[in-house]
């Protein structure tokens, strides 16, 4: 297991735990989707010579969810998470277009943008006012 994978996995576990502990419905839904996306990406075969279509599809679906949340949830963290997820998708599309990109750069950028999404989720769950925790928004 590479160090960047291990750090990202720990960050995923922490973000899911914080979302369950402190977050509202939007944070919990996002955490569940991110965990399912991670599992689906981990189970899908990865061929360095070809684009990872399963990961691209899952990350695209995650982008659509985050875009929906950014438009309708009235939470600031969702705007940032959507922006970072968009950059993650741009990373995928750059690799689809230019196969000669080095795997190290592609995978590193993938984890950097993914970690930024997870950090947005943590920030959103932690800085959520307690009075709003009981209200559904």
């Amino acid at each position: 297991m590479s160090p960047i994978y291990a750090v990202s996995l720990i960050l995923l576990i922490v973000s899911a735990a914080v979302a369950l502990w402190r977050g509202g419905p939007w944070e919990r839904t996002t955490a569940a989707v991110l965990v399912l996306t991670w599992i689906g990406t981990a189970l899908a075969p990865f061929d360095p010579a070809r684009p990872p279509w399963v990961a691209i599809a899952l990350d695209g679906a995650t982008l659509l969810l985050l875009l929906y949340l950014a438009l309708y949830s009235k939470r600031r963290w969702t705007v940032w998470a959507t922006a970072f997820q968009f950059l993650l998708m741009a990373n995928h599309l750059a690799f689809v277009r230019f196969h000669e990109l080095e795997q190290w750069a592609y995978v590193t950028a993938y984890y950097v943008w993914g970690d930024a999404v997870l950090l947005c989720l943590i920030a959103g769950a932690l800085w959520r006012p307690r009075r709003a925790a009981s209200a559904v928004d």
Side-chain angles (χ1 to χ4, degrees):
M1 179 182 308
S2 69
I4 194 166
Y5 183 86
V7 167
S8 295
L9 182 59
I10 290 169
L11 194 56
L12 175 70
I13 293 167
V14 168
S15 67
V18 169
L20 289 174
W21 167 60
R22 181 86 165 87
W26 296 116
E27 289 83 7
R28 291 178 181 155
T29 300
T30 303
V33 167
L34 291 173
V35 167
L36 290 174
T37 299
W38 186 286
I39 291 169
T41 302
L43 293 177
F46 182 73
D47 181 6
R50 292 188 294 180
W53 294 112
V54 172
I56 291 170
L58 291 171
D59 287 331
T62 302
L63 176 62
L64 292 176
L65 169 77
L66 289 171
L67 184 59
Y68 176 82
L69 293 180
L71 291 172
Y72 296 108
S73 74
K74 300 178 185 174
R75 305 279 177 93
R76 290 184 186 176
W77 72 267
T78 59
V79 175
W80 288 98
T82 303
F84 289 126
Q85 187 70 21
F86 180 79
L87 290 170
L88 190 145
M89 286 302 296
N91 183 59
H92 279 310
L93 297 177
F95 182 68
V96 168
R97 175 65 178 93
F98 302 105
H99 293 294
E100 61 273 3
L101 288 176
E102 289 187 34
Q103 284 297 310
W104 180 87
Y106 169 67
V107 172
T108 301
Y110 178 81
Y111 283 111
V112 167
W113 298 130
D115 289 353
V117 172
L118 295 172
L119 289 171
C120 289
L121 175 59
I122 291 170
L126 288 178
W127 285 313
R128 183 167 178 264
R130 264 308 199 197
R131 60 180 162 68
S134 61
V136 176
D137 40 308

